[in-house]
Amino acid sequence: MCWSCVFPYLLDANMRAPALMQARRRLLGAARGRVLELGSGTGTNFPLYRAPVESVDAVEPSARLARLARRRLAEASVPINVHDGVGESLAFADETFDVVVLTLTLCSVQDPDRVLAETRRVLKGDGRLLLLEHGLSPDARIARWQRRLNPLNRWLGEGCELLRAPLALTAASGFDPEEHAEYYLPGVPRVGGYVAEARLAKAA
């Protein structure tokens, strides 16, 4: 079996788990204006964007995932453009976007600090970062299993890390949470199901 051929379809199915879809809908309810989505994957979020969103620019580094995402454009109710590219180097001017969306993206980028620096650069002064990300559990027993399984998860998930702390990363990159929650997703194994859900503003 060609794992790299099967992976996009398995990822697409996993990203549409009911608990995740509920969290996505809740998070994206705060989207407005011109939106940038980084690591758009197979386009799971595309059908969830609604007015007052005016348009979405989606950046995805994987050509295989971007092909699947483009098939989902017909389900969208707002204009969406899918761009090849990486979050570490964005081809957009400073303060372009009202909202940047990161859903299960920071876990797999090569340089999360650089991605967040670019996010801050392209976000307007009064813009918002909408974040949904899994990461390291505060439960020592779960964290031990995450450390044991991280090499396997990184291989199976094509770079996906279990050990990052998304709210610590965003804080260090100059974002303050306006609303946030951390919890285990129901129906998802706890080693991969501890998530942060947050709406963040640029720190002064």
Side-chain angles (χ1 to χ4, degrees):
M1 178 187 295
C2 172
W3 177 249
S4 64
C5 299
V6 172
F7 175 75
Y9 299 95
L10 292 177
L11 178 70
D12 186 55
N14 287 334
M15 290 298 99
R16 290 185 287 112
L20 268 178
M21 293 305 295
Q22 183 179 8
R24 289 175 189 274
R25 289 188 185 94
R26 185 169 53 239
L27 184 76
L28 297 180
R32 59 178 176 83
R34 188 172 179 188
V35 174
L36 172 65
E37 182 176 338
L38 298 180
S40 52
T42 61
T44 305
N45 288 337
F46 292 177
L48 305 181
Y49 288 110
R50 298 284 187 272
V53 172
E54 297 168 6
S55 65
V56 178
D57 287 281
V59 174
E60 173 51 51
S62 166
R64 290 171 294 136
L65 299 183
R67 278 196 296 273
L68 292 180
R70 290 185 174 98
R71 297 178 189 176
R72 201 156 269 150
L73 291 174
E75 303 174 35
S77 62
V78 301
I80 298 178
N81 292 309
V82 179
H83 306 271
D84 300 326
V86 296
E88 290 88 348
S89 180
L90 297 173
F92 301 103
D94 294 358
E95 299 198 3
T96 296
F97 296 97
D98 299 291
V99 169
V100 176
V101 172
L102 291 168
T103 54
L104 304 172
T105 297
L106 288 181
C107 58
S108 55
V109 297
Q110 291 190 8
D111 188 342
D113 293 328
R114 183 61 189 161
V115 169
L116 288 168
E118 280 289 270
T119 294
R120 201 175 195 282
R121 180 183 67 80
V122 301
L123 195 59
K124 292 179 180 178
D126 62 349
R128 296 296 181 268
L129 168 59
L130 303 182
L131 176 78
L132 178 67
E133 189 58 72
H134 75 93
L136 185 64
S137 170
D139 182 319
R141 182 177 59 86
I142 301 299
R144 280 196 297 271
W145 276 107
Q146 289 178 308
R147 291 186 177 93
R148 290 169 184 159
L149 294 173
N150 194 55
L152 177 62
N153 190 77
R154 196 164 47 223
W155 180 75
L156 291 174
E158 299 199 345
C160 178
E161 298 276 352
L162 295 174
L163 305 179
R164 290 178 179 168
L167 291 182
L169 287 169
T170 53
S173 296
F175 290 95
D176 290 333
E178 294 182 328
E179 295 182 5
H180 71 282
E182 294 180 87
Y183 56 91
Y184 290 104
L185 280 167
V188 176
R190 290 197 164 196
V191 291
Y194 188 75
V195 300
E197 180 182 339
R199 184 178 70 192
L200 305 106
K202 281 180 164 183

